[in-house]
């Protein structure tokens, strides 16, 4: 991660978990000392992750959240997805927000990235990036 954001080397991924399984898995992982959780709006489990984070009793600064929004969204849809992620997770910021898959259209990719940058400058993400950037 570029900058001064330290990311734990080991974390719990929540892909293919429903909200209740994600909540249980995050709670269990945190009880064993994990302090990093990876989720995404597209996983449809962020509310469960958020419930486990709230129940952990940890200060927000004591754990690391990575989340992702879908690629290919216009500015308005990107902002909605970003803010929905925070709401579902029950937090004011994430540590790392990624665009899950970049869109195929260059202009849309650029607009979405600029939207993500502006959103992060509001203090809603400590770091940003793109996941799964590969050729189609």
């Amino acid at each position: 991660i570029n900058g001064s954001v330290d990311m734990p080397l080991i974390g719990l991924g929540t892909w293919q978990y429903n909200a209740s399984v994600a909540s249980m898995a995050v709670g269990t992982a945190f009880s064993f000392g994990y302090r990093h959780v990876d989720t995404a709006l597209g996983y449809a489990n962020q509310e469960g992750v958020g419930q486990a984070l709230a129940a952990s009793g940890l200060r927000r600064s004591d754990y690391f959240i990575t989340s992702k929004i879908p690629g290919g969204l216009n500015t308005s849809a990107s902002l909605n997805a970003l803010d929905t992620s925070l709401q579902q997770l029950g937090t004011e910021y994430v540590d790392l927000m990624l665009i899950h898959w970049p869109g195929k259209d260059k202009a849309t990719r650029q607009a979405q990235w600029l939207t993500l940058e502006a959103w992060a400058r509001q203090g809603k993400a400590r770091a940003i990036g793109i996941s799964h950037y590969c050729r189609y």
Side-chain angles (χ1 to χ4, degrees):
I1 298 174
N2 191 14
S4 62
V5 178
D6 292 326
M7 183 171 95
L9 294 176
I10 299 173
L12 176 71
T14 62
W15 182 51
Q16 296 186 330
Y17 292 171
N18 65 33
S20 61
V21 172
S23 181
M24 182 179 63
V26 171
T28 300
F30 274 36
S31 75
F32 286 115
Y34 281 66
R35 293 298 181 262
H36 179 192
V37 62
D38 178 280
T39 187
L41 186 62
Y43 298 172
N45 64 18
Q46 291 189 133
E47 289 179 342
V49 170
Q51 291 168 358
L53 296 174
S56 73
L58 296 170
R59 295 175 304 170
R60 175 60 189 88
S61 60
D62 289 337
Y63 55 85
F64 193 100
I65 304 171
T66 298
S67 188
K68 301 168 224 64
I69 62 166
L73 302 178
N74 65 29
T75 297
S76 176
S78 293
L79 287 171
N80 183 55
L82 292 162
D83 288 336
T84 297
S85 287
L86 292 184
Q87 184 269 325
Q88 289 179 352
L89 291 165
T91 187
E92 294 181 7
Y93 71 95
V94 293
D95 299 284
L96 176 61
M97 181 58 79
L98 302 171
I99 297 171
H100 212 153
W101 291 90
K104 294 182 180 182
D105 175 73
K106 182 178 179 179
T108 302
R109 285 194 311 265
Q110 289 175 332
Q112 189 170 29
W113 180 257
L114 293 173
T115 301
L116 185 58
E117 283 183 338
W119 187 80
R121 278 194 298 272
Q122 295 174 21
K124 296 180 179 183
R126 296 176 58 220
I128 57 174
I130 300 173
S131 176
H132 300 296
Y133 202 100
C134 54
R135 292 184 177 199
Y136 289 95

